[in-house]
Amino acid sequence: DGVTEVLAHHSESLQDKFIEIPCSEDYDSHKRFEGCTPRKCGRGVTDAVITREEAERIRRIAERGLSLGGSDGGASILDLHSGALSLGKHFVNLYRYFGDKIQDIFTEEDFALYRDVRRRIQQRIAQAFGISSASMYLTKPTFFSRINNTEAKTTHDEYWHPHVDKVTYGSFDYTSLLYLSDYTEDFGGGRFVFMDAGSNKTIEPRAGRVSFFTSGSENLHRVEKVHWGTRYAITISFTCNPDHGIGDPVL
C-alpha cells in the first residue's frame, strides 16, 4: 500500500480542512463552463456542515429504503432520483416496484432534509473552490450506499477498485461524500483512500463528515474493503453542465 497519511481521523471533529492540488487535464476534453469548471483543484473535509444528528436521520432514510431490497453481494445502492434499488443481483425501480406504498416508507420531511443537506454541501464546495454555487448542478448518479463484508456476487459489488469519477461519469466535476456511520464503531475497513504518487491520503468516515473533491484524475481514489459491520454513506455529485443537471428527488 505504500505510505499512508490520515487526512481526517474519525475521532477528531474538523472545522474545515482543504488541500489544493494541481488539476489534471481531464476537464480539457469536456466543454468548459467559465466560473464553474475546475481551475483550482483539490480536496476538502469538514465536520461542520452537517450535524451528527442530521446524519443519523439521513441514515434512517437509507435504512428504510434499502430494507426493501439489498444486493446479494456486499454493496447495496439506493438512488432516490432514478429509483434504482439493489435487489439480489439486479436493480429495480423503487417507485415502479412499490408504487403508492412509497408514501409509507418516506415522508416529505425526509426529502426536505435531503434537499437541505444537498444545498449546504453545494455551498461549501462552491466556497472552497471559489465558484458560484448557482453555476453548479446536481448530477446523476447520486446515491446511498450500504457496504458490508458479504462476498461480491457481481461487478457492482466490487467497490474497492481505484477509479476516477470524471472518467467513470463524464458529467462529474465535483464529488462529495456524506458519511452516515463511524469507522471502528459501526464498521472496520472501509476507509476512503486518495491514491497519490508515493503515498495514500486516507479519510476515516465519521457520521456527519463531508469529504469533497474535484472529480478528475488528480483525485484517483478507492474505498477499502469493509471487514466487519455496515458502512453507510451518500454520494452527492455536481456538474457544471446544465444539460447534465437533475432536480432534487420528489416524493
Side-chain angles (χ1 to χ4, degrees), residues 8-202:
H9 289 271
H10 69 98
S11 55
E12 59 185 337
S13 180
L14 291 169
Q15 191 62 29
D16 279 305
K17 187 169 193 171
F18 184 78
I19 296 154
E20 189 170 346
I21 49 178
C23 292
S24 64
E25 294 173 0
D26 294 354
Y27 309 98
D28 299 339
S29 55
H30 295 263
K31 186 176 175 187
R32 292 194 77 91
F33 292 86
E34 213 43 61
C36 180
T37 298
R39 290 198 179 280
K40 169 185 176 180
C41 291
R43 52 188 72 147
V45 188
T46 176
D47 294 312
V49 174
I50 310 300
T51 67
R52 286 177 68 81
E53 187 261 340
E54 287 168 329
E56 278 174 29
R57 285 169 57 200
I58 293 174
R59 190 181 73 224
R60 288 198 287 272
I61 300 173
E63 287 170 343
R64 289 201 303 274
L66 284 160
S67 70
L68 302 170
S71 159
D72 287 344
S76 298
I77 296 297
L78 166 65
D79 183 334
L80 289 180
H81 297 263
S82 68
L85 171 70
S86 301
L87 189 65
K89 292 185 175 63
H90 307 284
F91 289 93
V92 293
N93 185 313
L94 183 75
Y95 302 123
R96 279 210 296 273
Y97 203 72
F98 295 98
D100 294 341
K101 293 202 189 84
I102 277 298
Q103 309 280 349
D104 303 330
I105 299 152
F106 302 121
T107 65
E108 288 294 354
E109 287 79 26
D110 292 338
F111 280 64
L113 176 62
Y114 184 100
R115 283 194 299 274
D116 185 39
V117 162
R118 187 271 308 154
R119 183 182 52 77
R120 279 187 271 158
I121 292 173
Q122 184 168 344
Q123 286 171 341
R124 181 68 198 89
I125 294 172
Q127 186 187 346
F129 290 102
I131 60 174
S132 157
S133 71
S135 65
M136 299 163 65
Y137 302 89
L138 191 63
T139 192
K140 64 182 181 185
T142 287
F143 56 90
F144 290 104
S145 57
R146 181 186 71 194
I147 304 175
N148 58 33
N149 66 350
T150 309
E151 203 178 318
K153 300 291 192 290
T154 71
T155 52
H156 288 295
D157 297 323
E158 297 180 12
Y159 55 83
W160 51 83
H161 298 296
H163 65 279
V164 172
D165 289 350
K166 187 80 185 154
V167 174
T168 309
Y169 314 104
S171 62
F172 283 29
D173 290 306
Y174 300 94
T175 306
S176 74
L177 293 144
L178 167 58
Y179 296 108
L180 306 175
S181 45
D182 292 314
Y183 172 67
T184 73
E185 287 178 40
D186 299 312
F187 61 91
R191 296 182 305 172
F192 184 95
V193 183
F194 289 110
M195 303 175 72
D196 294 347
S199 74
N200 289 335
K201 308 288 195 301
T202 301

Side-chain angles (χ1 to χ4, degrees), residues 137-140 239 241-247:
Y137 302 89
L138 191 63
T139 192
K140 64 182 181 185
T239 183
N241 187 339
D243 294 343
H244 292 144
I246 59 172

